[in-house]
Amino acid sequence: MKVATVVGARPQFIKAAAVSHVLRRTPEVREVLVHTGQHYDYEMSRVFFDELEIPEPDHNLGVGSGSHGEQTGRMLEAIERVLLAERPDMVLVYGDTNSTLAGALAAAKLHIPVAHVEAGLRSFNRRMPEEVNRVLTDHASDLLFAPTETAVQNLRREGVTEGVHLVGDVMHDVLTENLPRAASSQVLDRLKLRAGDYIVATVHRAENVDHGERLQGVVSALDAVSRRFLPVVLPAHPRLRGRLREFSLRPRHVTITAPLSYLDMLWLQKNAALILTDSGGVQKEACWLGVPCVTLRAETEWPETVQGGWNVLAGSDPDAVLAAAERQLSGDVRRHAVLEQPPGGAAPLIAGIIASFG
């Protein structure tokens, strides 16, 4: 069985690291790895392949950046050419990026079965490009690998019940495997930080970054948190750096760094007093690492993190973010374990289901 795996962005590289390693040890499966080039510089792409020992892509499409329609269209055309040449039995996609949607659409139009890892997530905000990508990909998929029971219920409410499998979260597989390796990271020394005496922030969602007034609120919130509580460190996505320049915004009390490798970022999060983020993946990692989190959005596709007390939704208003940060740092919040994973991890379950498909 030949499986074409389509990846293109930083979160997908992390997820694919777990599943590709297992697929390539599965005798019935031959994997072909397709990199769209959605994320393409060293800090956003190559370093993840090197650190996580992801197999070298068989096809690198070099699509690069662009508007959502332009980028997705170029990917769709390029992926279709690869699929026609490779003739896989299945296309495997991850998450919610434009690469995810383009891979699923190209396969569906060629009548190739689609498998979607991280199926069923919903923020219920259709203004998010990621939400549109999730919904369309799920409805084009034949195998839907849901990480949580909530995701399974979301699919059921949309009438999607065939091919749904509750498998857990592959990001947890990668985190648990690599956390001991991350302990050798020198990131705290490089940034002159002490464990427990700083706050980590990540900002990259279009709703926060692409609108000057909204981004101004986020910047003001991060500055306010840094002045009131602990120093804030912000590893900055290239898109964020570009928008800060475009809107002439400069955080005064925040340390901005280049994007970090997976192991450095994992260790930075592990030792933080608090995490501020608009990333779904970082919300989960904070929960697994036992670090309280404030989400710079009004909704989340991971409601379990809020229900467990690990996460608070604050949006971008500085006063709301300050109040949420104070609450999370107070030590008065009752928290309990959530997002528990199956024994043995999600990746072996996914690989086994793929190998037996059809």
Side-chain angles (χ1 to χ4, degrees):
M1 179 184 199
K2 183 190 285 190
V3 175
T5 295
V6 178
V7 297
R10 177 178 174 138
Q12 294 166 327
F13 307 147
I14 296 168
K15 295 161 192 165
V19 179
S20 287
H21 289 163
V22 180
L23 281 179
R24 293 186 181 223
R25 296 196 301 266
T26 304
E28 302 91 340
V29 176
R30 179 193 162 204
E31 184 186 38
V32 175
L33 189 59
V34 182
H35 186 338
T36 67
Q38 180 174 342
H39 285 170
Y40 46 85
D41 59 18
Y42 179 80
E43 294 164 330
M44 297 296 289
S45 177
R46 182 72 255 172
V47 67
F48 289 85
F49 282 78
D50 294 342
E51 271 195 349
L52 299 177
E53 300 177 343
I54 303 169
E56 195 69 22
D58 298 280
H59 301 272
N60 197 322
L61 306 183
V63 168
S65 57
S67 69
H68 284 288
E70 177 189 11
Q71 187 184 62
T72 307
R74 291 203 308 267
M75 288 177 184
L76 184 59
E77 181 181 9
I79 293 168
E80 183 180 63
R81 285 198 299 268
V82 170
L83 299 183
L84 287 170
E86 290 284 356
R87 307 186 74 81
D89 301 294
M90 177 173 288
V91 170
L92 174 62
V93 296
Y94 295 86
D96 56 20
T97 73
N98 290 340
S99 298
T100 310
L101 179 60
L105 285 177
K109 287 178 177 292
L110 293 173
H111 308 292
I112 301 169
V114 177
H116 183 203
V117 173
E118 225 173 57
L121 300 186
R122 297 292 183 268
S123 68
F124 303 102
N125 177 3
R126 290 292 182 95
R127 294 183 63 83
M128 289 178 60
E130 296 88 351
E131 183 79 354
V132 174
N133 291 344
R134 291 180 199 125
V135 173
L136 295 178
T137 298
D138 282 342
H139 285 263
S141 294
D142 301 89
L143 289 178
L144 300 100
F145 297 117
T148 65
E149 181 59 40
T150 301
V152 173
Q153 295 303 322
N154 289 338
L155 292 169
R156 183 170 293 131
R157 280 193 291 270
E158 294 174 12
V160 180
T161 56
E162 294 295 320
V164 176
H165 300 270
L166 177 60
V167 296
D169 199 315
V170 295
M171 283 189 69
H172 187 268
D173 294 15
V174 182
L175 184 147
T176 53
E177 181 178 345
N178 286 281
L179 190 56
R181 295 176 61 210
S184 63
S185 167
Q186 300 300 308
V187 67
L188 299 190
D189 292 337
R190 291 202 312 270
L191 298 178
K192 298 180 173 56
L193 299 170
R194 292 191 307 173
D197 284 346
Y198 63 89
I199 294 167
V200 174
T202 76
V203 182
H204 78 280
R205 295 282 184 187
E207 63 188 279
N208 281 333
V209 170
D210 289 352
H211 306 282
E213 185 176 347
R214 178 91 175 190
L215 185 55
Q216 172 68 67
V218 171
V219 168
S220 297
L222 297 184
D223 272 337
V225 168
S226 190
R227 289 196 310 271
R228 176 82 65 87
F229 302 114
L230 292 167
V232 173
V233 180
L234 173 63
H237 192 289
R239 180 181 188 179
L240 172 61
R241 296 201 299 268
R243 290 293 189 259
L244 289 173
R245 289 192 298 269
E246 178 183 342
F247 298 128
S248 300
L249 296 173
R250 183 181 178 85
R252 295 177 179 273
H253 303 281
V254 174
T255 299
I256 297 179
T257 77
L260 298 177
S261 72
Y262 177 74
L263 296 179
D264 281 351
M265 189 63 188
L266 191 58
W267 198 241
L268 191 69
Q269 292 177 88
K270 169 67 176 173
N271 290 281
L274 177 69
I275 293 172
L276 308 174
T277 189
D278 59 9
S279 161
V282 173
Q283 291 172 54
K284 292 185 295 180
E285 288 170 337
C287 179
W288 292 324
L289 293 169
V291 179
C293 181
V294 173
T295 292
L296 305 172
R297 291 163 48 195
E299 70 286 310
T300 178
E301 55 276 17
W302 297 102
E304 297 87 352
T305 64
V306 177
Q307 294 157 8
W310 293 102
N311 190 14
V312 174
L313 303 178
S316 62
D317 177 73
D319 290 338
V321 174
L322 270 175
E326 183 171 28
R327 174 187 169 192
Q328 290 292 69
L329 287 167
S330 69
D332 295 333
V333 180
R334 296 183 64 183
R335 301 185 174 102
H336 61 268
V338 293
L339 299 176
E340 296 180 356
Q341 302 302 308
L349 293 176
I350 291 169
I353 294 166
I354 288 173
S356 62
F357 180 77

